Amino acid sequence: SGLMGLAVVLALVHTPVASAEPRIDAPDTYLTGAPLPLRVFGIEPGAEARISATRRLTKWTQGKDGQWREVSVVLVSWGEFRADRTGAIDVRTNRPLRGTWRRAEARDLIWSGAPSEAEAVEPNLAPGTVRLKLTVGGHVLAVRDMAVRDSLPG
């Protein structure tokens, strides 16, 4: 009976279970050029999940009248991944199944963005901020904002 109880406990300890709350694990501030530790947790093991990044940049453009103006540009990038047996995805070490980039490199989520008409979707996104979203089955499960700063010369 003691061995049977121990076997049950060991089986429970080694059974992968998704954590209760889906979350995006990313730094508060990302310095360009540095590795980006980006992982998600708490989704159904084996589920396909989309991780997206929305970023607003400001660029200068010259109008027909010759005047230069600041113009807001929204860039969106995304990758779809399959969660591992624990309900996690490590974007640093897994290639997306589909997306705006192809290799196992979390920084590419930031840099593979294409211009989008996402103004209505993210109207309050400040320049220098990346909004990360975790979506499964069309439902947004987690959102995290991350500041992006140029790394200091060094």
Side-chain angles (χ1 to χ4, degrees), residues 10-145:
L10 288 175
L12 290 174
V13 168
H14 291 287
T15 302
V17 176
S19 65
E21 195 66 35
R23 74 180 194 281
I24 300 169
D25 183 24
D28 292 330
T29 301
Y30 167 65
L31 295 177
T32 59
L36 175 58
L38 177 59
R39 298 178 304 224
V40 299
F41 299 98
I43 58 178
E44 194 68 34
E48 278 196 22
R50 177 179 282 224
I51 302 167
S52 63
T54 304
R55 182 177 188 195
R56 180 183 309 280
L57 301 176
T58 302
K59 73 174 188 174
W60 286 90
T61 186
Q62 191 171 20
K64 292 179 183 177
D65 61 1
Q67 297 296 314
W68 287 91
R69 293 177 182 81
E70 281 186 280
V71 176
S72 179
V73 177
V74 176
L75 302 177
V76 176
S77 53
W78 58 274
E80 291 180 353
F81 298 85
R82 185 170 309 283
D84 68 16
R85 63 185 189 87
T86 67
I89 299 168
D90 189 336
V91 181
R92 300 170 303 175
T93 58
N94 290 285
R95 293 176 51 180
L97 303 170
R98 289 167 293 286
T100 56
W101 81 101
R102 299 280 179 245
R103 61 189 183 144
E105 173 58 73
R107 292 178 291 193
D108 287 355
L109 176 62
I110 307 287
W111 303 119
S112 67
S116 171
E117 299 300 322
E119 187 75 29
V121 178
E122 302 290 352
N124 299 321
L125 187 61
T129 300
V130 173
R131 179 154 297 147
L132 303 169
K133 286 187 182 178
L134 170 63
T135 307
V136 176
H139 302 285
V140 176
L141 301 182
V143 177
R144 178 165 174 71
D145 286 353

